[in-house]
Amino acid sequence: KGCLSFPILFSYLSCRAYFNLLTVSIWEQKLKTQMHKIFKANKFIYQDLNISPILFEAFLAYLRDFLFNYLSFYKAAERFLLRENIDTVIVNQDSVGYNKILALLCNRLGIRSICFQHGLTPDINDFYLGGDSTREIFLWGEKEKQLYLRTGSAAREKIKLVGDPFLANLKQRKFNK
């Protein structure tokens, strides 16, 4: 039906949703406790220096910066998808961040989710390509399909070959000097 930008999506947060997001500090404290146990049990050594305390603080700073945004996005996206009766969501990757949250949310709500190949895929044997969050993956061709299958990034039944939109467009255009 159209394209949606993240700022518009946040307008779907209700006052109650904003209030619910105050529970982030409780989640942060629980995660902090769990991470403290992990960092205490596992020393991260670099050239005979235990860098666990530094990594722990860096992790907490990252968590504070992103956890609130991710939870806000989740609540706003859920409200938008339900209110607007969205039946399909297409993302350009489903392995990290907001796109992964959106794909997982769609799966939970029973909304069709598609990851669409948006660029050339590096031919690296151990490169993780994503594909674990959306229900379908649209790829340009057989080469990409074989790469996804070889790296274990997606199950065969999730992959659909749709062709390369750029090359298809070039075939239809007429060029002159």
Side-chain angles (χ1 to χ4, degrees):
K1 291 182 181 179
C3 182
L4 179 71
S5 66
F6 292 149
I8 294 170
L9 194 59
F10 283 107
S11 68
Y12 280 81
L13 275 175
S14 64
C15 291
R16 183 170 182 211
Y18 278 116
F19 180 75
N20 289 342
L21 290 171
L22 295 176
T23 60
V24 169
S25 61
I26 296 168
W27 286 23
E28 182 181 349
Q29 189 57 45
K30 287 180 182 178
L31 285 171
K32 186 176 181 180
T33 301
Q34 292 170 352
M35 292 311 298
H36 184 68
K37 289 177 185 177
I38 291 170
F39 279 92
K40 190 174 182 180
N42 301 287
K43 293 195 182 329
F44 297 92
I45 307 296
Y46 177 75
Q47 295 184 353
D48 298 327
L49 176 66
N50 180 5
I51 59 171
S52 295
I54 297 166
L55 291 176
F56 180 68
E57 289 304 318
F59 175 80
L60 289 180
Y62 179 84
L63 180 68
R64 277 188 291 277
D65 289 345
F66 288 96
L67 182 61
F68 180 80
N69 290 340
Y70 286 160
L71 292 175
S72 297
F73 176 78
Y74 180 91
K75 294 302 269 181
E78 180 180 45
R79 190 174 172 104
F80 171 79
L81 293 169
L82 293 172
R83 183 181 286 175
E84 301 299 326
N85 200 25
I86 302 298
D87 60 3
T88 303
V89 170
I90 301 172
V91 295
N92 65 348
Q93 60 86 7
D94 69 346
S95 55
V96 295
Y98 296 109
N99 288 341
K100 182 167 188 134
I101 292 169
L102 190 56
L104 294 173
L105 176 60
C106 286
N107 293 343
R108 187 177 72 75
L109 296 174
I111 296 171
R112 182 180 184 201
S113 57
I114 300 168
C115 182
F116 189 85
Q117 180 180 352
H118 64 285
L120 293 176
T121 306
D123 192 359
I124 303 171
N125 284 334
D126 60 352
F127 188 77
Y128 176 70
L129 301 167
D132 62 343
S133 301
T134 52
R135 292 190 176 164
E136 297 173 79
I137 301 168
F138 288 4
L139 298 174
W140 292 351
E142 189 63 35
K143 179 183 169 209
E144 287 79 13
K145 177 181 179 180
Q146 292 308 316
L147 182 60
Y148 269 75
L149 294 173
R150 189 175 74 237
T151 59
S153 295
R156 183 178 302 277
E157 59 273 6
K158 289 176 68 170
I159 298 174
K160 310 272 189 295
L161 300 182
V162 296
D164 180 341
F166 179 75
L167 292 178
N169 186 35
L170 282 180
K171 288 178 185 177
Q172 295 175 1
R173 294 180 66 188
K174 297 197 188 275
F175 295 95
N176 60 31
K177 296 180 185 181

